[in-house]
Amino acid sequence: MQGNLPSREYLAGLFQNVDKDRSGSITANELGAALLNGSMSPFNPETIRLMIGMFDRDNNGTINFEEFCSLWKFITDWQNCFKNFDRDNSGTIDVNEFRQALIMFGYRLQESLVCLMHKKFDRHGRGTIYFDDFIQCCIILQNLTSAFRKKDSDLDGVVTLHYEEFICLVLDAKV
């Protein structure tokens, strides 16, 4: 084992447990059935779709073992980050904890945008974000940032776009 990464043998066993149809790849349904939130509720299906899209390098709609290993590392990293900011161990993060997580990721966003994002990903309307919604937010923010950077050639944080370019930018960001 390297650091806190499990061995390939351990991950292979997990992969086989999740790959219920023994196809050698994991579908969104199989992954969704295997992942639980800290609240013991299933992951948001949209989060599952985004994670598959992020790690499906051959674009076949499923993830193979190598893609699964990458996904496992990212879920573990996100979980460790989430736990660092879930200071009361509630299984959720409030807007202040969320703001601190974004700052740690290098995002210095206006308070109004942080509140808007928190509200958007507070699926249950309780003023808190669950782990799966946190992952969804992180993926979308990362995808939008990457798409924006492609247009921000001088890296000044400002781009000029026509409406259709904007729509293409958002759609290409896999949100």
Side-chain angles (χ1 to χ4, degrees), residues 44-56:
N44 178 342
E46 181 62 16
T47 303
I48 298 292
R49 184 190 70 77
L50 286 169
M51 287 191 311
I52 294 259
M54 185 175 184
F55 291 95
D56 177 20

Side-chain angles (χ1 to χ4, degrees), residues 108-122:
R108 305 277 189 259
L109 305 172
Q110 291 182 9
E111 183 68 20
S112 59
L113 181 54
V114 171
C115 290
L116 177 65
M117 289 172 60
H118 189 270
K119 184 177 180 180
K120 164 101 174 126
F121 292 96
D122 174 12

Side-chain angles (χ1 to χ4, degrees), residues 93-142:
I93 56 174
D94 65 26
V95 70
N96 293 321
E97 294 164 332
F98 179 66
R99 180 182 314 100
Q100 292 303 311
L102 292 176
I103 289 169
M104 188 190 97
F105 293 150
Y107 292 101
R108 305 277 189 259
L109 305 172
Q110 291 182 9
E111 183 68 20
S112 59
L113 181 54
V114 171
C115 290
L116 177 65
M117 289 172 60
H118 189 270
K119 184 177 180 180
K120 164 101 174 126
F121 292 96
D122 174 12
R123 190 169 25 122
H124 301 288
R126 297 183 181 137
T128 58
I129 298 176
Y130 284 92
F131 177 57
D132 60 333
D133 298 319
F134 175 73
I135 289 175
Q136 183 178 353
C137 177
C138 291
I139 293 171
I140 289 173
L141 189 57
Q142 180 182 7

Side-chain angles (χ1 to χ4, degrees), residues 18 30-44 47-48 51 72 75 79 82-83 91 123 130-133 135:
V18 175
E30 289 170 327
L31 186 60
L35 294 175
L36 292 176
N37 252 322
S39 64
M40 300 309 288
S41 61
F43 262 47
N44 178 342
T47 303
I48 298 292
M51 287 191 311
W72 180 269
I75 288 176
Q79 188 174 44
F82 187 84
K83 285 179 181 177
R123 190 169 25 122
Y130 284 92
F131 177 57
D132 60 333
D133 298 319
I135 289 175

Side-chain angles (χ1 to χ4, degrees), residues 63-105:
I63 54 174
N64 63 31
F65 178 67
E66 292 303 320
E67 295 163 341
F68 176 78
C69 291
S70 297
L71 173 63
W72 180 269
K73 181 186 179 329
F74 271 84
I75 288 176
T76 302
D77 290 347
W78 283 321
Q79 188 174 44
N80 289 334
C81 176
F82 187 84
K83 285 179 181 177
N84 284 335
F85 292 100
D86 178 17
R87 291 185 179 91
D88 61 359
N89 295 318
S90 64
T92 62
I93 56 174
D94 65 26
V95 70
N96 293 321
E97 294 164 332
F98 179 66
R99 180 182 314 100
Q100 292 303 311
L102 292 176
I103 289 169
M104 188 190 97
F105 293 150

